[in-house]
Amino acid sequence: MYINNVKFARSAQKLSGEINLGAVARIQEIGEFQGVVKYTLQGEVDRLNRPALVLSIYGIISALCQNCLHPLDILIENQTQITIFFNEDQLDAALFSESESDVIDGVLAEDEFDVVQLVEDEVIILLPCAAKHDSCIGLSYHDKVESPFNVLKQII
Ligand SMILES: [Zn+2]
């Protein structure tokens, strides 16, 4: 889905949708993440009169515990503000300058800004690099009859 992000922000538009992680190739390359993430994008103008997007995402994702190879659910919930800049210099200055900046995240102004891409990027940042049960004590913790190799076969 594409929006003119400046127009969207200045007119305080809002849109919602969801993405199915199983269908996103670059997420599947990271790991066995399944589930649906819902998102809401809200346009606004910040106190410095800059256009901005507020992205909220929420989902319960199924992953594989890297310790015991059994499934576990991960809650992903986040809200972030993304400021829109009109050129790279402004964007770089806001994101990477030594001086204090109130900018959390930034993008460039675009007529055809890819919303799904933005949501996917945000999900990838929030995914754990090594998902694990909170109190996982390894393979013996679960059904001993099932060897990790059988579990692997099911995955493949
Ligand atoms: Zn585990």
Side-chain angles (χ1 to χ4, degrees):
M1 185 180 304
Y2 298 92
I3 57 169
N4 176 319
N5 55 8
V6 174
K7 224 183 246 179
F8 185 92
R10 293 216 185 275
S11 55
Q13 290 179 54
K14 185 177 182 177
L15 70 81
S16 302
E18 54 183 49
I19 58 169
N20 180 359
L21 300 192
V24 182
R26 62 198 185 106
I27 287 179
Q28 293 309 303
E29 282 166 14
I30 303 171
E32 299 272 340
F33 297 106
Q34 299 292 332
V36 170
V37 171
K38 294 183 195 299
Y39 64 88
T40 302
L41 193 67
Q42 171 73 58
E44 63 171 35
V45 176
D46 72 10
R47 58 195 173 78
L48 297 176
N49 203 31
R50 296 175 299 201
L53 304 168
V54 177
L55 175 65
S56 308
I57 67 177
Y58 176 87
I60 293 170
I61 291 172
S62 161
L64 283 184
C65 173
Q66 297 305 299
N67 204 24
C68 69
L69 298 178
H70 283 258
L72 82 156
D73 289 337
I74 304 165
L75 172 68
I76 284 194
E77 192 173 20
N78 193 52
Q79 186 177 77
T80 189
Q81 188 184 48
I82 301 148
T83 311
I84 301 170
F85 293 94
F86 292 90
N87 64 59
E88 301 241 8
D89 290 345
Q90 286 177 352
L91 177 65
D92 289 349
L95 290 181
F96 306 115
S97 71
E98 301 276 318
S99 62
E100 265 187 48
S101 163
D102 60 347
V103 174
I104 301 162
D105 202 354
V107 291
L108 286 174
E110 273 183 66
D111 290 343
E112 292 189 1
F113 179 77
D114 189 339
V115 174
V116 171
Q117 180 94 17
L118 176 76
V119 176
E120 289 175 10
D121 288 346
E122 187 67 20
V123 170
I124 287 170
I125 291 167
L126 295 170
L127 287 173
C129 34
K132 270 184 196 161
H133 290 113
D134 282 342
S135 56
C136 189
I137 53 170
L139 294 163
S140 60
Y141 178 66
H142 296 285
D143 190 356
K144 281 179 183 165
V145 180
E146 193 164 33
S147 85
F149 301 102
N150 286 335
V151 178
L152 272 174
K153 270 182 213 155
Q154 288 165 22
I155 299 160
I156 297 161

